[in-house]
Amino acid sequence: MTEQHAHKRQSIDWAVIVTYLLLVLIGWINIYASIHSADSPSIFDLGTRSGKQFVWILTSLGLAGAILFLLPSRLWESICIPFYILVLFLLMVVIFVSNDVKGSHSWFDLGPVRFQPAEISKIATSLLLAFVMSMQNFRLSKLKDLAIAAAIIILPMLIIVAESETGSALVYLGFVFVLYREGFSGWWLGLFGLVVALFISTLTIGIYWSIVGLIAAMVLFYVLTGNVSHPWRTVFLGMGSVAFAALLPAALDEACALIEGHIDYLNHRIWVPQEGESARYFWSFLPKLKPIYVVLALSTGALPILLYKAYRKKDLTLAIAVGAFLIGILLSFSTDYIFDNVLQPHQQSRIEVLLGMKEDPSGVGYNVNQSKIAIGSGGLLGKGFLQGTQTTFGFVPEQTTDFIFCTVGEEWGFVGCLVVIALYVFLIARILIDAESCRGNFTRIYGYCVAACIFMHLFINVGMTVGLMPVIGIPLPLLSYGGSSLWAFTILIHFPIPVQK
């Protein structure tokens, strides 16, 4: 063993390795529990998913050993650009050559093995992002550098969306946390949250009330962050605008009802129609005057004035608030188009069920209902290993992959779920600590990329199984069945995070 390899072995963070092994072991046991029945073969039977997963585990351990003890640390930095290009190529090719798997075109069928390029795309993106952002003159405050970092993240994300793999694409949103660590403004995270809130509110309560909420949010943003010379006057005017917009629909309804009740009096006393004119013509525009038209008309007049004020006083915060409001208006009006034309029908149904827009316990909501039943039935300590009725009788579809967490909940209870989540939290925290302790920027940035990927998978998958997120098909790292996912996370975790500088 060379001196470099000996030093690398001494500097391994064994806490990360042990946590990795524990999660893999827990996953393997629960995969077997998910397929278990009265006549189930051995956990090592290669004809079952537990047996196949055992093979994937062995190969992953060999892969981890090669990364830790054989491959030089600098290898990944030197190959990150061609590796990223290769992965983009595979992501595009798989769309045209793969078979349709539940509406998705994202798998290469290689005989008995299936390979999903979207899994290794997280590795390629993390490596290239770390390589580019660790360059000496790279600064996120420069528009050019920010555009490069954004392109590295967005390119594979868009191709994965074209594969109808929405779950894998959502993981890429976690890279925003990496950008934040490297100097990206935290207000952009807030604006991203506002975009999500606008999308949800527009679907559930409509465009108008979303815009009312947007006005309130922008006023609050400006007051809290802007250099306001007259804060109380700004608050009064801003909240007055919100109150006016909120009361406008009721006021217009009352006005129309009043005019309709006195239409004859108004027509003869205030407006006398000429020959050939309809007696009701003059007042007919009022019922057609929608509240949103009034708000948009007033905004059209007010926003240029606010932009001019921001320009004269060099008020960047006011300019950001006005710009965000305009973008919010566009997003609100485009939500229905995105929902109806971009999302797949099964994705639309899952979102509608999640947001309570429709009930479908026997359709798209079936998986989530059965998952919640399984987790809830586990109680505090669970029913015991191989004793779960929901698991044994196969009530939960995809229980070895996307819904593996409900097996943990049913057979190991609340305590088991808490232990699994605690292991993930410890793993993420340890990766971040190791990343911060490294001298090189490349390793630090890569570490945050790994932590972000694991967090997003954990957040989406667990949220999906308990009904807090739509069912979008995303594995639980190291626990779910699948060789592509296990290999991808093995590579992500074992280089270069376990090596402390």
Side-chain angles (χ1 to χ4, degrees):
M1 180 179 292
T2 65
E3 183 179 348
Q4 179 187 7
H5 289 152
H7 173 71
K8 192 174 181 180
R9 183 176 181 178
Q10 293 173 357
S11 61
I12 291 175
D13 185 353
W14 290 103
V16 171
I17 305 300
V18 171
T19 308
Y20 163 84
L21 293 173
L22 285 174
L23 287 171
V24 169
L25 178 62
I26 291 171
W28 182 43
I29 291 172
N30 282 279
I31 289 170
Y32 178 67
S34 299
I35 62 171
H36 175 75
S37 61
D39 56 348
S40 289
S42 165
I43 192 174
F44 298 100
D45 191 307
L46 297 181
T48 65
R49 286 199 164 186
S50 62
K52 294 176 182 177
Q53 187 72 0
F54 179 68
V55 175
W56 288 117
I57 291 172
L58 292 179
T59 56
S60 296
L61 294 177
L63 184 62
I67 293 171
L68 289 175
F69 304 118
L70 299 179
L71 298 180
S73 300
R74 290 289 180 182
L75 171 67
W76 302 96
E77 293 183 59
S78 61
I79 68 168
C80 62
I81 296 178
F83 182 43
Y84 181 84
I85 295 173
L86 174 63
V87 168
L88 288 183
F89 175 75
L90 293 175
L91 288 173
M92 289 186 288
V93 169
V94 75
I95 298 175
F96 302 101
V97 303
S98 64
N99 297 321
D100 188 307
V101 180
K102 298 181 180 179
S104 171
H105 293 269
S106 59
W107 295 85
F108 284 114
D109 290 313
L110 307 174
V113 178
R114 289 198 307 170
F115 165 64
Q116 188 178 27
E119 292 295 341
I120 63 170
S121 68
K122 295 187 284 283
I123 305 171
T125 303
S126 299
L127 287 171
L128 185 58
L129 195 64
F131 177 74
V132 171
M133 292 179 64
S134 61
M135 291 181 177
Q136 187 173 2
N137 296 322
F138 184 92
R139 297 290 183 275
L140 283 174
S141 56
K142 296 190 292 188
L143 183 59
K144 177 184 175 182
D145 291 346
L146 177 60
I148 293 173
I152 293 172
I153 298 170
I154 292 173
L155 277 176
M157 182 179 177
L158 292 178
I159 301 174
I160 292 172
V161 170
E163 297 174 0
S164 297
E165 277 289 334
T166 310
S168 296
L170 285 178
V171 173
Y172 281 77
L173 298 179
F175 287 113
V176 175
F177 298 110
V178 182
L179 301 181
Y180 174 69
R181 165 61 182 84
E182 298 303 314
F184 197 52
S185 174
W187 286 109
W188 290 107
L189 295 178
L191 290 177
F192 171 74
L194 183 62
V195 169
V196 175
L198 272 176
F199 183 83
I200 294 174
S201 62
T202 302
L203 287 177
T204 53
I205 62 177
I207 293 177
Y208 182 78
W209 291 107
S210 295
I211 293 176
V212 173
L214 180 64
I215 295 172
M218 291 302 98
V219 171
L220 184 63
F221 168 80
Y222 181 62
V223 170
L224 293 179
T225 62
N227 185 17
V228 185
S229 56
H230 301 284
W232 289 111
R233 186 173 68 183
T234 303
V235 170
F236 177 77
L237 291 174
M239 292 300 101
S241 300
V242 174
F244 170 78
L247 296 174
L248 184 60
L252 281 178
D253 287 342
E254 289 295 327
C256 290
L258 179 64
I259 290 171
E260 187 67 28
H262 298 81
I263 193 73
D264 292 333
Y265 174 83
L266 293 169
N267 276 327
H268 289 90
R269 297 284 181 170
I270 300 176
W271 173 260
V272 180
Q274 302 299 316
E275 185 178 354
E277 290 183 327
S278 171
R280 294 175 178 267
Y281 178 78
F282 180 74
W283 307 104
S284 63
F285 77 95
L286 276 172
K288 298 177 182 178
L289 189 62
K290 303 297 183 184
I292 194 168
Y293 298 156
V294 178
V295 170
L296 291 177
L298 293 174
S299 300
T300 302
L303 293 181
I305 297 173
L306 293 174
L307 285 173
Y308 178 73
K309 179 182 177 182
Y311 172 75
R312 286 290 303 272
K313 295 188 175 183
K314 308 298 181 185
D315 192 340
L316 179 60
T317 306
L318 179 57
I320 292 174
V322 173
F325 179 77
L326 290 172
I327 294 172
I329 293 290
L330 293 175
L331 287 172
S332 296
F333 278 93
S334 62
T335 293
D336 288 339
Y337 176 82
I338 294 172
F339 187 79
D340 295 332
N341 298 281
V342 177
L343 298 180
Q344 299 293 322
H346 66 279
Q347 295 168 339
Q348 296 172 7
S349 299
R350 289 167 179 174
I351 292 175
E352 287 173 338
V353 170
L354 176 68
L355 299 179
M357 299 168 64
K358 73 175 185 181
E359 296 290 336
D360 191 12
S362 61
V364 295
Y366 175 81
N367 290 25
V368 175
N369 286 334
Q370 294 300 322
S371 175
K372 290 193 289 187
I373 290 172
I375 294 173
S377 66
L380 180 63
L381 298 176
K383 297 177 180 178
F385 182 53
L386 305 181
Q387 301 302 312
T389 53
Q390 294 291 113
T391 296
T392 301
F393 295 106
F395 285 108
V396 184
E398 308 297 337
Q399 195 163 352
T400 59
T401 53
D402 301 339
F403 286 88
I404 189 69
F405 188 73
C406 70
T407 305
V408 178
E410 183 178 25
E411 299 201 345
W412 306 102
F414 175 77
V415 172
C417 291
L418 197 62
V419 168
V420 169
I421 293 176
L423 286 172
Y424 278 114
V425 171
F426 177 79
L427 178 63
I428 293 171
R430 194 69 193 183
I431 288 172
L432 293 177
I433 292 171
D434 288 350
E436 290 290 351
S437 68
C438 291
R439 297 176 184 175
N441 292 337
F442 174 86
T443 308
R444 184 189 69 247
I445 297 169
Y446 180 83
Y448 272 84
C449 290
V450 175
C453 289
I454 296 174
F455 170 78
M456 291 299 292
H457 270 267
L458 176 66
F459 177 76
I460 296 173
N461 183 276
V462 174
M464 181 179 70
T465 58
V466 298
L468 297 178
M469 294 287 290
V471 180
I472 52 179
I474 187 171
L476 190 59
L478 308 178
L479 261 73
S480 293
Y481 170 80
S484 296
S485 175
L486 183 58
W487 271 40
F489 279 105
T490 298
I491 297 172
L492 270 173
I493 292 172
H494 287 85
F495 179 85
I497 300 311
V499 182
Q500 296 178 316
K501 303 291 184 183

